[in-house]
Amino acid sequence: MKNLRTTLALLFVLALAVTAAAFGFSSPKNGGHGTTMTGMGMAMPMATATPSSKAEDLRVSLDNLLGEHALLAIWATQAGYSGSKSFPALAAQLDKNSVAISNAIGSVYGAAAGKQFLNGKDLWRAHVGYFVDYTKALATKDEAAQKKAVANLMTYIQVQAAFFAKATGLPKKALVNDLTAHVLQLKGQLDAYAAGNYKQSYQLTSAAYDHMFMTGDLLAGAIAKQKGLK
């Protein structure tokens, strides 16, 4: 497990560096969207101007949905790990968010694409399920199950990247890097939470939320260019 954690940590750092360099993104805290930290260490959006175009509206919508996904996924895994009674409600809200993202995809590429995104093998809902598997395995200290869940998440990254690459025309490698960062941030915050390192856990929570704005910008920019949105 030590070697696995070390490998994943290196992949995480590499993915963030490559993604940021490839697309010239900076953290939302440093300009672009703007976030602020609450007393609990959560990154929440600051007020922004009303979108002035279809392209901007798409960007804001995707950013908000993906940012919400990150926070709900984090809260759900922490609740699941600790056995909180709030887990079923969080899981239900997380799935509503997944449906909303699939509807956004469907509004651009058609209902069939939205359905595939949501329920396709090793796609969106599947990766949420793999995080649930990892959470359960971490709580029970089942190392074999942890490795299996991580392997499934690595497969998800490849399949989801291929889906987005085919739909948007973006390079798959860059999408793999972006999704790897997302997966390792969510995994990392839960590992830190389980170890009682709450400072690191909520630092990664903030980073995971911010990173979703990079992903939203990336996808929205490609879609707007592809569809000629102004």
Side-chain angles (χ1 to χ4, degrees):
M1 288 300 293
K2 183 177 180 182
N3 290 336
L4 175 62
R5 287 193 295 268
T6 300
T7 300
L8 290 173
L10 290 172
L11 281 172
F12 169 61
V13 173
L14 177 63
L16 280 178
V18 173
T19 302
F23 296 99
F25 288 132
S26 60
S27 166
K29 293 175 186 166
N30 298 322
H33 295 276
T35 60
T36 184
M37 297 299 293
T38 68
M40 293 179 65
M42 293 295 141
M44 300 301 289
M46 295 172 63
T48 57
T50 301
S52 58
S53 69
K54 290 182 179 180
E56 180 70 3
D57 186 52
L58 174 65
R59 180 183 66 81
V60 171
S61 295
L62 284 177
D63 286 352
N64 287 338
L65 286 170
L66 291 170
E68 183 182 64
H69 161 74
L71 292 182
L72 287 170
I74 288 167
W75 293 336
T77 54
Q78 290 180 1
Y81 177 83
S82 62
S84 171
K85 293 181 179 179
S86 66
F87 176 76
L90 281 166
Q93 193 63 34
L94 177 59
D95 194 62
K96 287 182 180 179
N97 169 265
S98 295
V99 172
I101 296 172
S102 73
N103 288 339
I105 298 295
S107 71
V108 176
Y109 295 110
K115 183 177 180 180
Q116 181 187 2
F117 165 85
L118 184 63
N119 293 319
K121 180 176 172 57
D122 292 318
L123 286 171
W124 196 261
R125 264 185 178 150
H127 102 286
V128 174
Y130 298 149
F131 270 116
V132 172
D133 294 341
Y134 183 76
T135 300
K136 291 178 179 177
L138 190 64
T140 58
K141 297 180 170 45
D142 186 336
E143 293 190 2
Q146 289 177 48
K147 290 180 179 179
K148 181 178 179 181
V150 170
N152 286 336
L153 285 166
M154 295 300 107
T155 297
Y156 156 75
I157 288 169
Q158 295 295 325
V159 177
Q160 187 72 81
F163 175 92
F164 282 140
K166 182 178 180 180
T168 66
L170 287 165
K172 182 183 174 182
K173 183 176 180 180
L175 290 162
V176 165
N177 290 332
D178 184 86
L179 291 167
T180 299
H182 169 64
V183 165
L184 295 182
Q185 283 168 332
L186 264 61
K187 178 186 178 296
Q189 65 78 27
L190 183 61
D191 290 338
Y193 182 86
N197 190 342
Y198 302 119
K199 180 179 179 180
Q200 182 183 17
S201 180
Y202 288 112
Q203 285 175 339
L204 284 168
T205 294
S206 179
Y209 177 81
D210 286 353
H211 183 76
M212 288 290 88
F213 284 79
M214 292 170 59
T215 303
D217 285 2
L218 173 61
L219 295 174
I223 294 169
K225 181 179 180 180
Q226 183 184 56
K227 300 297 181 180
L229 301 180
K230 301 296 184 179

